[in-house]
Amino acid sequence: MKLDKKAFAIKTFAQADNNRAYWLTKTPKERLDAAWYLSCIAYGLDPQKKYKMEKTFFGVKQRD
């Protein structure tokens, strides 16, 4: 796998701050939806599918 260097751009601090201002204009739901989409893309998941939490991973132990 190679890094696509065209996907990134060098920005000044002022341009990066402008990006923050853009996201602050969005509602919390829109920001969470964007974060969910990016997480799904990063992990190869389908953003439209509803996932359930795996409940068999953790076990319950009796205290002594």
Side-chain angles (χ1 to χ4, degrees), residues 10-49:
I10 297 173
K11 293 184 178 184
T12 64
F13 286 112
Q15 290 169 327
D17 193 41
N18 187 25
N19 189 27
R20 183 175 185 270
Y22 167 78
W23 284 107
L24 289 176
T25 64
K26 301 295 180 185
T27 65
K29 173 146 180 28
E30 289 173 320
R31 289 183 279 189
L32 284 173
D33 288 343
W36 171 250
Y37 177 76
L38 291 174
S39 295
C40 286
I41 297 302
Y43 289 103
L45 303 173
D46 181 12
Q48 301 300 322
K49 184 178 176 187

